[in-house]
Amino acid sequence: MNLFRPQMFLTPMMGRAKLLFSTSIKSRGTFEPDYLDSSGPVIPTYPPLNIQIKGYNFDALESMQSYIHNLAENMGIDVETAWATPAKTFQLTTFIEGGVRPKENYNVNMYERNVHVVGLRSVDAPILIDTIRIALPEGVMLSVHEHTREMGEERWIADPFIDQLRSELDTADIEKEKEQVKKDATNEAKAARKKELLLKSLTD
């Protein structure tokens, strides 16, 4: 319903009616251009990361890995996988005070767990890492690494046959790249030669 009534008056010179107010009907709702949604800030993301924890206490490490996994998922972070690597055994030796003779020997196992996250946003990374550091149990070491194929394969027992096949495939890929570079260089030289001959024929 239009609240304003258009008033009409006659000008002496023009001799015709004019409207003081517009009589167009207002559309309901608010018009928002499409570019308002498309031009929002883009939050950068990290490459795939491994949240790595190490420690000598197996139970504490298992509990901490579960905590990190649940924390990341509750924050909306994509946890692709998590794995354990075989324990590494170290031999520790204590010496008699004031001498160099060994006193006792100890075998200590170092355990390792990894939580692999992908698409971690730059605004979420500080919150995640700081929360993990605050909750870190005593004796557990935390580190964050960019994911590599070697880190993912440390959990498996090395197979010489598979390693040989992989090295052969890598060598074949390198050879293919070299051949492709040579072909590209040859094609460029041919194209340059054709262009030169064409220009020469036009000038003659």
Side-chain angles (χ1 to χ4, degrees):
M1 180 178 179
N2 198 346
L3 299 180
F4 301 98
R5 292 179 175 272
Q7 298 179 4
M8 303 178 64
F9 67 94
L10 296 175
T11 58
M13 298 181 64
M14 302 296 294
R16 58 187 179 86
K18 292 181 67 177
L19 296 177
L20 291 178
F21 301 100
S22 174
T23 58
S24 60
I25 302 175
K26 296 182 179 181
S27 60
R28 296 181 180 179
T30 304
F31 172 72
E32 295 183 356
D34 297 334
Y35 64 82
L36 292 179
D37 296 330
S38 60
S39 63
V42 179
I43 300 175
T45 58
Y46 286 96
L49 298 177
N50 289 338
I51 302 174
Q52 187 180 89
I53 52 175
K54 294 182 179 181
Y56 301 103
N57 190 333
F58 179 81
D59 296 331
L61 207 66
E62 283 283 305
S63 177
M64 191 62 194
Q65 178 191 356
S66 177
Y67 173 78
I68 295 173
H69 197 142
N70 293 332
L71 174 64
E73 288 186 342
N74 290 334
M75 290 180 60
I77 300 170
D78 186 10
V79 180
E80 186 169 306
T81 184
W83 68 86
T85 57
K88 298 178 181 179
T89 303
F90 299 92
Q91 187 176 19
L92 305 180
T93 303
T94 59
F95 297 90
I96 297 175
E97 186 177 356
V100 294
R101 290 191 305 166
K103 181 179 180 181
E104 293 180 353
N105 294 324
Y106 300 95
N107 292 325
V108 179
N109 294 325
M110 171 72 76
Y111 302 98
E112 179 183 323
R113 297 293 182 271
N114 290 272
V115 179
H116 181 53
V117 297
V118 294
L120 178 62
R121 303 190 306 169
S122 59
V123 295
D124 295 333
I127 302 174
L128 176 66
I129 301 303
D130 288 344
T131 306
I132 295 173
R133 289 179 59 187
I134 292 172
L136 208 63
E138 185 176 359
V140 176
M141 296 169 285
L142 171 69
S143 59
V144 181
H145 308 273
E146 185 175 354
H147 178 72
T148 59
R149 186 177 68 181
E150 291 75 14
M151 293 185 66
E153 292 178 353
E154 286 183 357
R155 50 183 156 169
W156 312 115
I157 299 175
D159 190 340
F161 178 70
I162 294 177
D163 293 340
Q164 182 181 358
L165 289 177
R166 182 170 294 150
S167 62
E168 291 177 358
L169 291 174
D170 292 339
T171 305
D173 291 338
I174 293 173
E175 293 296 331
K176 286 182 179 179
E177 290 179 359
K178 290 181 179 179
E179 291 178 0
Q180 187 64 35
V181 170
K182 290 181 180 179
K183 288 181 179 179
D184 293 340
T186 304
N187 294 333
E188 289 179 1
K190 288 181 179 179
R193 200 175 301 115
K194 287 181 179 179
K195 185 177 181 180
E196 184 180 356
L197 292 174
L198 179 61
L199 291 174
K200 188 176 181 181
S201 64
L202 292 175
T203 53
D204 293 341

